[in-house]
Amino acid sequence: MNLPADAVTALDTFQAAAGWEQRARLLMQWGDRLPAMSDVDKVDANRVHGCESQVWLVAALQDGLWQFTASSDARMIRGLVALLLARVNGLSAVELQAVDLPGWFDQLGLSRQLSPSRSNGLNAVLQRMRSLSDA
């Protein structure tokens, strides 16, 4: 499967990182680059349930390809969500179903740092993306 351009950039950046501290810094930077989400979108209908932190997700279909916007109140989660968005934005609904979340974070060298609750939360975000793309 072809990776979106942002995903290729993320892979190159994270694979070049020397160790966990540098990856953690990169993670924060990716989260800080997420576009701000308006309070209008930070409503319960857009909240992803199953995350310990608050995460909001909005989906838009453009020319048959999905674009997601997300935000979180937790800095580390914002970074992880930013990396998930890099992996999924611009995919079709069929491609979205095939995304291997553990494999993606493994490729980035981040899977060891994903606690079970963070992993579950990211899975909840991906499941929400898939259900929105099915609708």
Side-chain angles (χ1 to χ4, degrees):
M1 183 192 302
N2 288 337
L3 286 177
D6 282 352
V8 173
T9 302
L11 266 184
D12 291 346
T13 306
F14 278 82
Q15 287 179 344
W20 166 240
E21 278 185 26
Q22 198 175 354
R23 281 195 196 100
R25 266 199 306 279
L26 285 168
L27 196 55
M28 300 300 179
Q29 288 167 3
W30 274 74
D32 290 344
R33 291 207 307 247
L34 269 185
M37 186 180 263
S38 77
D39 289 340
V40 174
D41 287 330
K42 288 184 178 178
V43 293
D44 205 49
N46 293 332
R47 251 192 84 201
V48 178
H49 299 281
C51 297
E52 283 184 8
S53 311
Q54 293 195 75
V55 176
W56 297 272
L57 180 72
V58 177
L61 186 59
Q62 298 170 335
D63 303 320
L65 302 176
W66 287 94
Q67 291 294 324
F68 296 95
T69 313
S71 186
S72 174
D73 58 349
R75 201 159 176 222
M76 182 72 88
I77 298 300
R78 259 201 318 273
L80 293 168
V81 167
L83 289 168
L84 177 57
L85 292 180
R87 178 65 188 84
V88 301
N89 272 340
L91 297 183
S92 68
V94 172
E95 290 169 323
L96 195 56
Q97 296 300 329
V99 169
D100 172 13
L101 192 69
W104 171 238
F105 284 100
D106 197 36
Q107 284 180 288
L108 292 167
L110 295 172
S111 57
R112 252 180 352 112
Q113 282 73 27
L114 284 182
S115 64
S117 69
R118 281 192 187 135
S119 202
N120 290 342
L122 286 167
N123 262 317
V125 174
L126 183 59
Q127 293 309 325
R128 179 69 187 264
M129 290 171 168
R130 288 174 172 159
S131 68
L132 288 168
S133 73
D134 278 346

PDB file of all heavy atoms in Angstrom, residues 97-109:
ATOM      1  N   GLN A  97      -9.598   0.788   6.013  1.00  0.00           N
ATOM      2  CA  GLN A  97      -9.896  -0.483   6.689  1.00  0.00           C
ATOM      3  C   GLN A  97      -8.638  -1.330   6.830  1.00  0.00           C
ATOM      4  O   GLN A  97      -8.531  -2.154   7.735  1.00  0.00           O
ATOM      5  CB  GLN A  97     -10.965  -1.274   5.913  1.00  0.00           C
ATOM      6  CG  GLN A  97     -12.324  -0.597   5.837  1.00  0.00           C
ATOM      7  CD  GLN A  97     -12.957  -0.353   7.194  1.00  0.00           C
ATOM      8  OE1 GLN A  97     -12.757  -1.090   8.140  1.00  0.00           O
ATOM      9  NE2 GLN A  97     -13.738   0.718   7.292  1.00  0.00           N
ATOM     10  N   ALA A  98      -7.677  -1.155   5.918  1.00  0.00           N
ATOM     11  CA  ALA A  98      -6.481  -2.003   5.891  1.00  0.00           C
ATOM     12  C   ALA A  98      -5.322  -1.465   6.733  1.00  0.00           C
ATOM     13  O   ALA A  98      -4.285  -2.117   6.837  1.00  0.00           O
ATOM     14  CB  ALA A  98      -6.028  -2.177   4.442  1.00  0.00           C
ATOM     15  N   VAL A  99      -5.484  -0.288   7.336  1.00  0.00           N
ATOM     16  CA  VAL A  99      -4.384   0.296   8.115  1.00  0.00           C
ATOM     17  C   VAL A  99      -4.047  -0.599   9.307  1.00  0.00           C
ATOM     18  O   VAL A  99      -4.924  -1.007  10.063  1.00  0.00           O
ATOM     19  CB  VAL A  99      -4.740   1.734   8.588  1.00  0.00           C
ATOM     20  CG1 VAL A  99      -3.729   2.239   9.615  1.00  0.00           C
ATOM     21  CG2 VAL A  99      -4.804   2.673   7.398  1.00  0.00           C
ATOM     22  N   ASP A 100      -2.762  -0.892   9.443  1.00  0.00           N
ATOM     23  CA  ASP A 100      -2.254  -1.716  10.542  1.00  0.00           C
ATOM     24  C   ASP A 100      -1.656  -0.779  11.587  1.00  0.00           C
ATOM     25  O   ASP A 100      -0.521  -0.344  11.455  1.00  0.00           O
ATOM     26  CB  ASP A 100      -1.192  -2.674   9.972  1.00  0.00           C
ATOM     27  CG  ASP A 100      -0.442  -3.443  11.059  1.00  0.00           C
ATOM     28  OD1 ASP A 100      -0.883  -3.433  12.229  1.00  0.00           O
ATOM     29  OD2 ASP A 100       0.590  -4.045  10.730  1.00  0.00           O
ATOM     30  N   LEU A 101      -2.471  -0.461  12.599  1.00  0.00           N
ATOM     31  CA  LEU A 101      -2.060   0.510  13.613  1.00  0.00           C
ATOM     32  C   LEU A 101      -0.810   0.073  14.388  1.00  0.00           C
ATOM     33  O   LEU A 101       0.163   0.819  14.450  1.00  0.00           O
ATOM     34  CB  LEU A 101      -3.234   0.788  14.561  1.00  0.00           C
ATOM     35  CG  LEU A 101      -3.056   1.975  15.502  1.00  0.00           C
ATOM     36  CD1 LEU A 101      -3.079   3.289  14.734  1.00  0.00           C
ATOM     37  CD2 LEU A 101      -4.158   1.979  16.542  1.00  0.00           C
ATOM     38  N   PRO A 102      -0.780  -1.146  14.955  1.00  0.00           N
ATOM     39  CA  PRO A 102       0.433  -1.560  15.678  1.00  0.00           C
ATOM     40  C   PRO A 102       1.660  -1.567  14.764  1.00  0.00           C
ATOM     41  O   PRO A 102       2.745  -1.157  15.176  1.00  0.00           O
ATOM     42  CB  PRO A 102       0.107  -2.976  16.162  1.00  0.00           C
ATOM     43  CG  PRO A 102      -1.384  -3.071  16.117  1.00  0.00           C
ATOM     44  CD  PRO A 102      -1.835  -2.160  15.017  1.00  0.00           C
ATOM     45  N   GLY A 103       1.468  -1.990  13.520  1.00  0.00           N
ATOM     46  CA  GLY A 103       2.574  -2.027  12.564  1.00  0.00           C
ATOM     47  C   GLY A 103       3.119  -0.642  12.272  1.00  0.00           C
ATOM     48  O   GLY A 103       4.333  -0.439  12.157  1.00  0.00           O
ATOM     49  N   TRP A 104       2.220   0.336  12.168  1.00  0.00           N
ATOM     50  CA  TRP A 104       2.616   1.720  11.890  1.00  0.00           C
ATOM     51  C   TRP A 104       3.462   2.279  13.028  1.00  0.00           C
ATOM     52  O   TRP A 104       4.536   2.830  12.807  1.00  0.00           O
ATOM     53  CB  TRP A 104       1.361   2.564  11.646  1.00  0.00           C
ATOM     54  CG  TRP A 104       1.582   4.052  11.562  1.00  0.00           C
ATOM     55  CD1 TRP A 104       1.007   4.995  12.342  1.00  0.00           C
ATOM     56  CD2 TRP A 104       2.410   4.765  10.637  1.00  0.00           C
ATOM     57  NE1 TRP A 104       1.437   6.242  11.966  1.00  0.00           N
ATOM     58  CE2 TRP A 104       2.296   6.127  10.924  1.00  0.00           C
ATOM     59  CE3 TRP A 104       3.251   4.368   9.592  1.00  0.00           C
ATOM     60  CZ2 TRP A 104       2.981   7.114  10.207  1.00  0.00           C
ATOM     61  CZ3 TRP A 104       3.931   5.354   8.874  1.00  0.00           C
ATOM     62  CH2 TRP A 104       3.793   6.704   9.186  1.00  0.00           C
ATOM     63  N   PHE A 105       3.002   2.125  14.266  1.00  0.00           N
ATOM     64  CA  PHE A 105       3.764   2.664  15.393  1.00  0.00           C
ATOM     65  C   PHE A 105       5.051   1.871  15.626  1.00  0.00           C
ATOM     66  O   PHE A 105       6.040   2.414  16.106  1.00  0.00           O
ATOM     67  CB  PHE A 105       2.888   2.780  16.644  1.00  0.00           C
ATOM     68  CG  PHE A 105       1.965   3.959  16.555  1.00  0.00           C
ATOM     69  CD1 PHE A 105       0.638   3.799  16.199  1.00  0.00           C
ATOM     70  CD2 PHE A 105       2.431   5.238  16.767  1.00  0.00           C
ATOM     71  CE1 PHE A 105      -0.203   4.893  16.056  1.00  0.00           C
ATOM     72  CE2 PHE A 105       1.607   6.351  16.628  1.00  0.00           C
ATOM     73  CZ  PHE A 105       0.281   6.177  16.279  1.00  0.00           C
ATOM     74  N   ASP A 106       5.051   0.608  15.224  1.00  0.00           N
ATOM     75  CA  ASP A 106       6.254  -0.200  15.283  1.00  0.00           C
ATOM     76  C   ASP A 106       7.295   0.349  14.299  1.00  0.00           C
ATOM     77  O   ASP A 106       8.463   0.507  14.639  1.00  0.00           O
ATOM     78  CB  ASP A 106       5.900  -1.658  14.954  1.00  0.00           C
ATOM     79  CG  ASP A 106       6.998  -2.612  15.384  1.00  0.00           C
ATOM     80  OD1 ASP A 106       7.630  -2.360  16.435  1.00  0.00           O
ATOM     81  OD2 ASP A 106       7.223  -3.605  14.670  1.00  0.00           O
ATOM     82  N   GLN A 107       6.848   0.653  13.085  1.00  0.00           N
ATOM     83  CA  GLN A 107       7.746   1.216  12.070  1.00  0.00           C
ATOM     84  C   GLN A 107       8.342   2.542  12.535  1.00  0.00           C
ATOM     85  O   GLN A 107       9.486   2.853  12.225  1.00  0.00           O
ATOM     86  CB  GLN A 107       6.993   1.466  10.755  1.00  0.00           C
ATOM     87  CG  GLN A 107       6.715   0.232   9.942  1.00  0.00           C
ATOM     88  CD  GLN A 107       5.962   0.602   8.677  1.00  0.00           C
ATOM     89  OE1 GLN A 107       4.784   0.953   8.717  1.00  0.00           O
ATOM     90  NE2 GLN A 107       6.639   0.544   7.552  1.00  0.00           N
ATOM     91  N   LEU A 108       7.561   3.310  13.271  1.00  0.00           N
ATOM     92  CA  LEU A 108       8.026   4.610  13.770  1.00  0.00           C
ATOM     93  C   LEU A 108       8.965   4.451  14.971  1.00  0.00           C
ATOM     94  O   LEU A 108       9.582   5.413  15.407  1.00  0.00           O
ATOM     95  CB  LEU A 108       6.835   5.482  14.195  1.00  0.00           C
ATOM     96  CG  LEU A 108       5.917   5.966  13.076  1.00  0.00           C
ATOM     97  CD1 LEU A 108       4.642   6.532  13.652  1.00  0.00           C
ATOM     98  CD2 LEU A 108       6.625   6.987  12.199  1.00  0.00           C
ATOM     99  N   GLY A 109       9.034   3.231  15.504  1.00  0.00           N
ATOM    100  CA  GLY A 109       9.873   3.003  16.677  1.00  0.00           C
ATOM    101  C   GLY A 109       9.218   3.465  17.959  1.00  0.00           C
ATOM    102  O   GLY A 109       9.890   3.761  18.944  1.00  0.00           O
TER     103      GLY A 109
END
